[in-house]
Amino acid sequence: MLKRAYDWCVSYASHPAAPWLLFALTFVESSVSPLPPIPLLLPMCIARPDRAWFYAGVCSLGAVLGGYLGYAIGALLYDSVGSWLIGIYGLQDKAAQLISTSQDYWFWVLVTKGLTPIPFKIVTIMSGFLHFDIWKFTIGMVVSRVTFFMMIALALRFYGDDIRIFIEKHLPLVALSLLVIVVGGFFVLPLVL
């Protein structure tokens, strides 16, 4: 089943709708969904290394625009949707503490979290909840997410064949590693905020 899913992602890379799906997945990952775009981005870049920069750009745009939705959820809907999403990650107790202490260092929290596979929506929602300066939010989000996705594209552009061979040879291990990173991010997040 895992091999079929991987093969579908690789074959889907040439489909005209693939960039739209990648954009949508990245958009919702930055605001409401726990599913990261990396499981789709990797096979697409491996299948089409000539389009790796384009795919990274699609992810960057989706992440930034989705980040604004996350910010709006935090700023306007925190009492309902925002607190529910923050509650999923067990960060309710830290929210009040963050309000009083975060303005001095929140930009660096935003940049640091944007450079990792830790769920980015938590940072975007909390930025809105904290009413963090929208311009600093934009700069931090653009710098971190563009850098994150471009680093992936760079690696896949130049080492795509080696990475593809490794992934195909060790697909269960790679899938498990991605799962551990995504699920582990949910447990690590309360420790680092």
Side-chain angles (χ1 to χ4, degrees):
M1 183 172 111
L2 192 57
K3 178 76 170 122
R4 278 186 292 158
Y6 173 77
D7 290 341
W8 177 84
C9 287
V10 170
S11 69
Y12 192 74
S14 298
H15 193 281
W20 292 105
L21 178 60
L22 190 60
F23 173 85
L25 188 60
T26 310
F27 180 88
V28 297
E29 187 271 336
S30 293
S31 51
V32 294
S33 170
L35 299 175
I38 294 173
L40 185 58
L41 175 63
L42 290 177
M44 287 176 66
C45 288
I46 288 169
R48 296 285 311 270
D50 58 311
R51 293 183 55 104
W53 302 116
F54 172 72
Y55 293 142
V58 167
C59 285
S60 299
L61 181 62
V64 170
L65 295 178
Y68 286 120
L69 176 58
Y71 188 96
I73 289 170
L76 305 173
L77 301 173
Y78 185 81
D79 292 334
S80 57
V81 178
S83 63
W84 174 74
L85 286 170
I86 297 296
I88 289 174
Y89 301 103
L91 296 173
Q92 311 91 316
D93 297 337
K94 293 196 177 191
Q97 178 187 4
L98 282 171
I99 291 172
S100 62
T101 63
S102 68
Q103 292 299 321
D104 296 334
Y105 65 85
W106 192 256
F107 177 82
W108 298 110
V109 169
L110 176 67
V111 170
T112 304
K113 301 301 179 252
L115 290 170
T116 68
I118 290 175
F120 191 57
K121 79 200 68 23
I122 297 303
V123 181
T124 63
I125 293 168
M126 287 305 297
S127 295
F129 174 68
L130 298 170
H131 298 286
F132 185 65
D133 182 87
I134 193 71
W135 296 110
K136 290 180 182 177
F137 173 74
T138 300
I139 291 167
M141 192 171 45
V142 168
V143 166
S144 64
R145 296 318 271 174
V146 169
T147 301
F148 178 74
F149 290 118
M150 290 300 169
M151 287 187 327
I152 292 172
L154 179 68
L156 293 169
R157 180 71 175 101
F158 293 105
Y159 303 106
D161 285 338
D162 294 334
I163 293 170
R164 179 187 53 77
I165 291 166
F166 179 82
I167 288 174
E168 290 175 356
K169 187 175 180 180
H170 305 288
L171 188 58
L173 177 65
V174 171
L176 180 62
S177 298
L178 280 173
L179 182 64
V180 166
I181 289 170
V182 171
V183 173
F186 293 109
F187 294 106
V188 169
L189 192 63
L191 302 174
V192 294
L193 271 183

